[in-house]
Amino acid sequence: MPASLHVSPRLVLLATCLGFFVVLMDVSVVNVALQALHLGIKADITDLQWLVNAYALVFASLLLLAGTLGDRLGAKRVFMLGYGVFSLASLGCGFASSVASLIGWRLIQGLGAALMVPTSLSLLREVFHAESARNRAVGWWGAGGGIALAAGPVIGGLFITAFGWRSLFLINAPIGLIGLWLTARHAPTSPVQPDRSLDMPGQIVAMLTLASFTFALTQASQLGWSNPEILGAVLACVLLGAAFLWIQTHTAQPMLPLTLFRDRQLCSATLIGLLANLVFYGVVFAMSLFFQTIEHFSPIHAGVAFLPMMATLMAMNILAGRLIGQIEHRTLATGGLLLSALGYLLMAPALATHAYGWSVVPMLLAGSGIALTIPTITSATLAVVPSNQAGVASALLNAARQVGGIIGVAVFGFMISDNAEQQFLRGLDHALMISALLLLLASGVAFTGLRPTQAMAFALPQSPREQ
């Protein structure tokens, strides 16, 4: 160990929380900036969808590669690379002069985010050996994202008002420098697996599959589902998806070992993550436009309006980290999803009143339920894989969540694409009803697919520091 390296699990946790913070911060702040971007760089609703989905597209499609890279090169090294790429791309976004250049830098931001997320969980796995300590760390890691989602709309509104929309991206640079220093100074050198294959054919086909899928979903709001370009993209997605599965079954070291899907708990957690993010990000996108275009809220007012849904994420993520060790995965995830479904079910009539106060309780319920669910399924995923597959398993879960977000933004964006107020409100109402039904489905998956007892597959002896 280098003399200058002082391993500190708590400071490693802080570095990973900051990383997850900036990754999710750039989701929530962009939603608050939709109206400012529309006016500032003449972005229409399809452009706005791409500004959200370009980031999510690369994020989702490269997560599996990032997880494999983390296993091959070491989680610490890849995590720091992701921090650097994300920070530089944020500067590019801040100085972008057109919609096209901003979307381009958002793509690169997605690359940095993809490198950071699975390796951050691998780093936590490396420094927190005891399951109870690891569960608490995952809870705090999730809370870092919760803080970002909670603070993002408010900070975004303040920064847009005071400094303009560009400041939303520039703020990531100093945070990135702090995270890089903490990781370099306090994270242990990660083990490497130099013989781990990157499976580039599988990676390329997976990226093309997701790109065609995202193109079809996003452009359909402008071109319509019967457009030849959309139909061609759907066909390409199906064929490329089939090709990806063929490659994974005929490659000695696939990027996504299909044997992972033999575990029912991992499959269930992955599907729950997809459905939960589909609902959450889709509704946040739709409600952002509702507050700013129908209710005519200012950026600061729109940011504050999201506080009931977002602020609860922080507290409930921390609570979830403590409850995971006391309540079984199945019970906690099922309860969280049902609570969130109730919130979305009540939100539709609340928003129809145009009286903001009626929407506070539904937003609290919706945010609390999701915040209980995500750390639980993350813990459930890490609990059933061996240590040499932790990176790819966490990447799979987070890739599914990002794909869900892409679907939610695209589909719900399509449903509210009519600028007429009555049509917009009808589309929003349908989106909220669909959200409640999808979360009810996810709760059924949690109850039947997650194990009723805590899995102890890889629990290691406690170190003195963690006892």
Side-chain angles (χ1 to χ4, degrees):
M1 182 184 299
S4 61
L5 187 65
H6 173 66
V7 175
S8 171
R10 289 187 177 182
L11 292 177
V12 173
L13 174 59
L14 177 58
T16 59
C17 287
L18 284 174
F20 199 37
F21 176 89
V22 293
V23 165
L24 291 190
M25 182 82 152
D26 269 45
V27 174
S28 58
V29 296
V30 169
N31 278 299
V32 173
L34 293 177
Q35 186 68 4
L37 291 166
H38 169 65
L39 298 174
I41 53 176
K42 311 303 180 187
D44 60 25
I45 190 167
T46 302
D47 294 329
L48 295 175
Q49 287 176 291
W50 274 115
L51 286 171
V52 176
N53 277 346
Y55 177 73
L57 167 63
V58 179
F59 190 3
S61 61
L62 292 182
L63 274 168
L64 287 168
L65 175 62
T68 305
L69 278 175
D71 293 339
R72 179 171 178 168
L73 304 178
K76 176 179 178 178
R77 184 180 301 170
V78 177
F79 180 68
M80 291 182 67
L81 175 62
Y83 245 134
V85 170
F86 187 91
S87 300
L88 289 173
S90 296
L91 291 175
C93 289
F95 292 108
S97 58
S98 66
V99 172
S101 62
L102 181 55
I103 291 174
W105 284 113
R106 289 283 285 171
L107 291 168
I108 300 174
Q109 263 193 321
L111 167 61
L115 293 172
M116 291 166 66
V117 170
T119 50
S120 68
L121 287 170
S122 294
L123 279 176
L124 293 181
R125 173 75 177 275
E126 291 171 13
V127 297
F128 292 98
H129 302 124
E131 186 176 25
S132 59
R134 185 169 54 249
N135 285 338
R136 288 194 298 270
V138 170
W140 279 104
W141 177 84
I147 294 170
L149 291 174
V154 179
I155 293 174
L158 291 171
F159 271 58
I160 291 169
T161 302
F163 309 110
W165 64 264
R166 297 179 187 278
S167 62
L168 303 181
F169 300 104
L170 297 177
I171 190 61
N172 292 331
I175 297 175
L177 289 175
I178 295 170
L180 281 169
W181 181 84
L182 287 171
T183 307
R185 181 72 177 83
H186 298 290
T189 301
S190 299
V192 298
Q193 301 176 49
D195 58 341
R196 184 72 182 269
S197 172
L198 294 180
D199 184 20
M200 291 310 296
Q203 179 61 56
I204 292 170
V205 173
M207 289 183 64
L208 292 174
T209 302
L210 191 54
S212 58
F213 177 73
T214 305
F215 176 86
L217 284 177
T218 305
Q219 292 297 125
S221 62
Q222 183 179 60
L223 302 177
W225 286 102
S226 61
N227 184 278
E229 290 184 36
I230 302 301
L231 294 175
V234 172
L235 178 61
C237 178
V238 172
L239 295 177
L240 287 166
F244 174 75
L245 292 176
W246 187 89
I247 292 172
Q248 297 310 287
T249 57
H250 291 80
T251 300
Q253 293 186 333
M255 62 177 284
L256 178 61
L258 298 184
T259 53
L260 285 174
F261 293 100
R262 294 175 183 170
D263 190 281
R264 186 175 181 179
Q265 176 155 298
L266 185 143
C267 291
S268 299
T270 302
L271 179 57
I272 293 166
L274 186 148
L275 294 174
N277 267 39
L278 186 161
V279 169
F280 187 82
Y281 287 112
V283 170
V284 167
F285 181 84
M287 287 182 62
S288 295
L289 289 174
F290 169 77
F291 286 140
Q292 295 172 73
T293 62
I294 302 300
E295 298 295 310
H296 303 292
F297 286 3
S298 67
I300 293 177
H301 195 180
V304 172
F306 275 111
L307 269 181
M309 179 184 286
M310 302 302 193
T312 189
L313 291 172
M314 177 180 65
M316 296 303 287
N317 267 289
I318 296 171
L319 177 62
R322 297 184 178 276
L323 293 178
I324 287 169
Q326 303 173 32
I327 303 175
E328 58 192 26
H329 292 138
R330 181 175 71 177
T331 301
L332 199 55
T334 302
L337 291 163
L338 289 173
L339 185 65
S340 191
L342 176 62
Y344 287 114
L345 191 64
L346 296 175
M347 201 178 295
L351 293 178
T353 66
H354 293 277
Y356 173 75
W358 287 103
S359 63
V360 171
V361 171
M363 285 197 285
L364 284 170
L365 294 174
S368 297
I370 291 297
L372 285 174
T373 301
I374 298 305
T376 303
I377 61 173
T378 302
S379 176
T381 298
L382 293 177
V384 294
V385 294
S387 59
N388 64 348
Q389 290 186 322
V392 70
S394 60
L396 172 63
L397 173 61
N398 283 286
R401 292 178 59 196
Q402 291 306 310
V403 169
I406 291 171
I407 297 171
V409 170
V411 172
F412 290 4
F414 176 77
M415 295 173 71
I416 61 169
S417 59
D418 195 318
N419 291 326
E421 181 173 334
Q422 286 301 112
Q423 283 71 22
F424 182 101
L425 292 174
R426 186 179 297 112
L428 180 59
D429 185 67
H430 291 162
L432 291 169
M433 292 299 102
I434 290 171
S435 297
L437 291 173
L438 289 176
L439 290 174
L440 286 174
L441 172 63
S443 69
V445 173
F447 187 77
T448 58
L450 300 184
R451 295 173 186 169
T453 56
Q454 298 298 315
M456 301 292 289
F458 59 68
L460 301 177
Q462 288 185 330
S463 67
R465 182 178 311 206
E466 294 170 345
Q467 289 180 348

